Amino acid sequence: MAVGTVTSSPLGPPANEKDAKALQFIEEMTKNCDSVQENVLCEILTQNAEAEYLQKWNLGGATDRKTFKSKVPVVSYDDLQPYIQRIANGDRSPILSSHPISEFLTSSGTSAGERKLMPTIAAEMDRRQKLYSLLMPVMNLYVTDLDKGKGLYFYFIKAETKTPSGLVARPVLTSYYKSNQFKTRPYDPYNVLTSPNETILCVDSFQSMYSQMLCGLIYREQVLRCGAVFASGLVRAIKFLTLNWKQLALDIETGFLNPKITDQDIRACMSKILKPDPNLARFVRDECCDENWEGIITRIWPNTKYLDVIVTGAMAQYIPILDFYSGNLPQTCTMYASSECYFGLNLTPMVKPSEVSYTIMPNMGYFEFIPHDSANSVTKPNNDSPSQLLDLADLELGKEYELVISTYSGLCRYRVGDILRVTGFHNSAPQFKFIRRKNVLLSIDADKTDETELQSAIEKASELLKEFNTAVVEYTSYGDTKTIPGHYVIYWELLVKDPGHGPSHQVLDQCCLAMEECLNSVYRQSRVADNSIGPLEIRVVKNGTFEELMDYAISRGASINQYKVPRCVSFTPIMELLDSRVVSTHFSPSAPHWVPERRF
Ligand code: AMP
């Protein structure tokens, strides 16, 4: 079947026998969604019946949905934090789960400036692996011959740390890439990567990226698909090529690896792959020397059939640049997952990004849904209104819901914070468009900055202005992804009481850094270790600009009484208004502080 074709019956015919089994599994799960969910909840409650958390809610051994919903409250991270802290401190009693906690997964969502810690159990790794194993069988339905070449995927691990009790804490993907399930995966012709494990398993992001790109260039004719987990990762990889092509070409010409690559495992594995190839070096130079990056992906990797990157949610901002780099290759979003739980997959991965829907696999956990309108009223135990939360089988087409999960690792009725809209059904399983993550104001890469964090960062930075008798009277922000890497832009309107002694350019530069120091650890890690976010920028605007902004909003129908300054903007006319009033721009003069160790 040709690329881009979508069948009305998405799950057949399979490309091979292994795929047939995977597709059959999806069919079974989605046909029996409700009974699978019933069983999953029963299994979770049986498995964790002795855990302190479930004991507290007096289920009395019940494993049915009605009792569960009426006795166990809906919670968010802060409610569970004391339990999680005890596990981190070394309490080995069954607190959330009866199974031993194997490690902590550090989510990109933060609490008090640090990544949230999600305790997980060993069996979850197999569940995640199971979901991964379904992705290629679905893709093979739409794109043929993916067994005839390789995938160029930029995958990275991040620094890990240990809790006071010695449990490892790391992002879920780091945990997965370091697992035996990944490292010793059996050969699968449909899933051959250009990046050897050694290049992925290096925590230094430069060395990892460099060696993965080098392999991508060496195997360029075999590459059939290019990807990264999130779109921001692929954009960063291409930017890396634009900055490092000369050295990469030199390595290829001479067969000697850049001495900046000091990781011994990478050097050892590259010594088997990198051989002098002057023709390839010439090709890379010819393609890159005029610094025209339009269509660079298809020029370097001409056999690429699609880009495999998540471009839904906050990542949609990268669609235009990926179109530019790839000459409009299809961008496929295959999977929807989180540190807490892997949720599901896209059964029609070749659709346009704006039409992507994910099918939650009912075997992954027990899923409940808060109708979005009432989402704000159920932060407390919902004993008064147990029916408020709906099951997968109860959802209605076109409605929006907030996702609530219960997992084998012991999260019970946990609010993930994602808002989803039902766009259709596969068998009896609803399919969801990812609408947004609640409370996220700014996001460039994995970072998620909310309004309170931005507000405190601004308060902190404005302390530097006090001695100049200056205050920030209004502000708003913008995630600028026109630069690569993208960066936060903060618009400030200042009140300078003594114009003769206002803050200098340097002081305002320092304000940028002061803000960055205040932002959460995911932001600072992206700035320092991953280089996936550029220096924060403050744009000082003329006095009266925010009043003009209000006039503009009111002219478009906003109510004067209810008008609030938007704390994040992206609408072009507003951006144009703000940018036309800029009197000075300032950037962080250096990177903020970040160390892999975290506070526990
Ligand atoms: P983390 O806990 O750091 O793994 O982040 C998980 C969050 O990333 C999810 O709850 C979503 O908000 C977001 N996310 C994950 N997968 C997708 C996707 N396919 N589309 C949009 N957002 C996603």
Side-chain angles (χ1 to χ4, degrees):
M1 192 182 305
V3 172
T5 313
V6 177
T7 56
S8 54
S9 157
L11 300 187
N16 56 56
E17 220 165 278
K18 194 163 144 252
D19 285 9
K21 276 200 182 134
L23 299 179
Q24 198 190 337
F25 177 78
I26 297 173
E27 288 294 87
E28 275 165 25
M29 288 298 118
T30 52
K31 275 186 183 145
N32 305 309
C33 189
D34 199 39
S35 58
V36 175
Q37 282 285 275
E38 194 171 12
N39 286 338
V40 165
L41 181 63
C42 174
E43 273 176 25
I44 291 175
L45 296 182
T46 309
Q47 180 199 288
N48 295 332
E50 299 308 315
E52 178 186 325
Y53 188 74
L54 275 182
Q55 289 275 318
K56 177 175 169 182
W57 303 112
N58 295 320
L59 291 177
T63 58
D64 62 291
R65 287 189 272 202
K66 193 155 176 261
T67 315
F68 178 70
K69 282 173 191 267
S70 67
K71 299 213 167 188
V72 179
V74 177
V75 292
S76 49
Y77 185 78
D78 290 344
D79 301 306
L80 298 182
Q81 220 263 341
Y83 299 91
I84 292 175
Q85 193 62 48
R86 278 172 51 211
I87 303 172
N89 291 343
D91 190 337
R92 291 282 174 272
S93 62
I95 296 177
L96 294 175
S97 166
S98 298
H99 282 208
I101 299 303
S102 52
E103 60 181 310
F104 281 102
L105 302 176
T106 56
S107 121
S108 61
T110 52
S111 167
E114 293 285 352
R115 287 169 174 271
K116 291 176 186 165
L117 285 176
M118 297 296 167
T120 188
I121 58 174
E124 282 291 332
M125 185 64 84
D126 296 328
R127 214 164 275 116
R128 285 180 216 121
Q129 177 64 36
K130 176 83 187 167
L131 191 65
Y132 280 126
S133 75
L134 305 177
L135 303 182
M136 284 315 288
V138 171
M139 190 54 89
N140 289 336
L141 295 174
Y142 302 98
V143 186
T144 51
D145 294 335
L146 289 174
D147 56 337
K148 308 283 189 298
K150 297 183 197 293
L152 166 56
Y153 283 76
F154 295 93
Y155 288 152
F156 300 95
I157 59 163
K158 295 195 188 216
E160 56 189 43
T161 177
K162 284 218 162 114
T163 65
S165 65
L167 281 172
V168 175
R170 54 194 178 184
V172 64
L173 290 170
T174 300
S175 165
Y176 177 64
Y177 300 141
K178 288 186 154 185
S179 71
N180 285 336
Q181 280 92 334
F182 179 78
K183 284 196 294 193
T184 58
R185 60 198 183 276
Y187 175 78
D188 174 358
Y190 290 91
N191 221 345
V192 181
L193 303 180
T194 54
S195 298
N197 289 353
E198 291 82 347
T199 62
I200 296 171
L201 294 173
C202 170
V203 78
D204 181 298
S205 64
F206 175 86
Q207 296 189 50
S208 178
M209 178 76 93
Y210 190 94
S211 49
Q212 295 195 54
M213 184 60 82
L214 194 53
C215 294
L217 294 173
I218 293 169
Y219 296 123
R220 71 173 201 95
E221 280 169 358
Q222 299 173 49
V223 169
L224 301 181
R225 50 203 170 106
C226 291
V229 176
F230 288 109
S232 54
L234 187 56
V235 171
R236 191 153 49 95
I238 300 305
K239 177 74 181 183
F240 187 91
L241 175 68
T242 70
L243 296 174
N244 292 281
W245 60 268
K246 285 185 186 148
Q247 181 67 42
L248 288 156
L250 184 67
D251 290 14
I252 294 170
E253 181 176 39
T254 59
F256 289 114
L257 185 60
N258 180 350
K260 282 195 190 148
I261 308 303
T262 53
D263 182 288
Q264 286 311 310
D265 292 341
I266 294 185
R267 292 203 73 89
C269 97
M270 290 307 295
S271 70
K272 293 181 208 127
I273 298 169
L274 178 63
K275 304 280 177 257
D277 186 344
N279 287 338
L280 177 57
R282 196 173 315 115
F283 170 83
V284 172
R285 287 182 183 125
D286 285 351
E287 289 302 332
C288 298
C289 66
D290 61 357
E291 306 268 327
N292 165 24
W293 306 113
E294 188 167 3
I296 188 69
I297 294 182
T298 29
R299 282 190 277 130
I300 302 251
W301 297 285
N303 300 318
T304 311
K305 298 178 185 230
Y306 65 93
L307 304 183
D308 188 350
V309 277
I310 291 174
V311 280
T312 41
M315 290 294 141
Q317 58 193 333
Y318 294 105
I319 294 171
I321 182 77
L322 286 177
D323 277 339
F324 174 79
Y325 282 152
S326 74
N328 301 310
L329 276 179
Q331 298 173 20
T332 67
C333 301
T334 53
M335 190 169 156
Y336 170 43
S338 76
S339 315
E340 296 91 338
C341 181
Y342 278 23
F343 307 123
L345 74 171
N346 179 359
L347 296 179
T348 52
M350 299 311 282
V351 298
K352 283 195 297 206
S354 57
E355 285 164 19
V356 169
S357 290
Y358 300 100
T359 305
I360 290 186
M361 291 301 287
N363 60 309
M364 298 302 291
Y366 175 60
F367 302 100
E368 291 176 273
F369 298 85
I370 305 174
H372 186 41
D373 294 346
S374 56
N376 294 328
S377 59
V378 281
T379 44
K380 291 285 163 241
N382 68 333
N383 299 5
D384 309 336
S385 46
S387 59
Q388 229 171 3
L389 266 68
L390 303 173
D391 281 323
L392 262 178
D394 304 328
L395 307 187
E396 287 176 53
L397 187 69
K399 295 245 165 92
E400 289 186 9
Y401 302 94
E402 183 188 332
L403 179 62
V404 173
I405 56 167
S406 300
T407 66
Y408 288 85
S409 298
L411 293 179
C412 283
R413 315 197 86 194
Y414 175 88
R415 297 175 81 157
V416 175
D418 289 350
I419 308 294
L420 311 172
R421 182 188 303 142
V422 178
T423 54
F425 293 85
H426 181 75
N427 296 321
S428 61
Q431 301 184 294
F432 298 93
K433 181 181 168 97
F434 180 92
I435 300 298
R436 65 187 173 88
R437 172 124 174 162
K438 276 178 14 184
N439 303 331
V440 175
L441 206 59
L442 288 163
S443 173
I444 296 287
D445 187 38
D447 55 304
K448 299 172 174 65
T449 296
D450 68 25
E451 200 165 327
T452 323
E453 287 174 309
L454 183 65
Q455 168 79 27
S456 349
I458 283 172
E459 281 167 14
K460 192 81 191 157
S462 23
E463 282 173 18
L464 299 180
L465 302 177
K466 277 194 190 140
E467 62 174 294
F468 303 98
N469 247 328
T470 297
V472 178
V473 285
E474 276 305 354
Y475 70 89
T476 188
S477 66
Y478 167 62
D480 186 353
T481 50
K482 289 193 286 299
T483 58
I484 305 175
H487 70 291
Y488 288 12
V489 175
I490 317 295
Y491 292 92
W492 270 9
E493 186 170 319
L494 298 177
L495 178 65
V496 187
K497 297 213 181 93
D498 178 1
H501 294 95
S504 67
H505 207 281
Q506 255 177 344
V507 168
L508 287 160
D509 289 351
Q510 285 302 326
C511 287
C512 297
L513 184 57
M515 282 195 69
E516 293 197 299
E517 294 290 6
C518 247
L519 294 174
N520 64 54
S521 73
V522 179
Y523 174 89
R524 285 177 288 112
Q525 181 172 14
S526 304
R527 273 281 280 133
V528 176
D530 308 340
N531 270 317
S532 55
I533 302 182
L536 183 143
E537 178 182 359
I538 290 177
R539 294 183 190 162
V540 177
V541 293
K542 250 181 23 195
N543 283 5
T545 302
F546 278 81
E547 212 159 302
E548 286 186 69
L549 205 68
M550 179 174 81
D551 292 343
Y552 178 79
I554 288 164
S555 75
R556 288 179 52 96
S559 131
I560 298 195
N561 296 328
Q562 284 162 303
Y563 176 78
K564 286 193 218 73
V565 176
R567 291 309 180 200
C568 184
V569 292
S570 58
F571 186 49
T572 310
I574 292 194
M575 306 298 310
E576 281 170 1
L577 192 158
L578 285 166
D579 282 331
S580 67
R581 304 294 188 273
V582 170
V583 290
S584 64
T585 58
H586 309 271
F587 287 92
S588 267
S590 57
H593 181 74
W594 176 81
V595 285
E597 291 75 44
R598 57 173 285 144
R599 290 179 272 124
F600 282 100

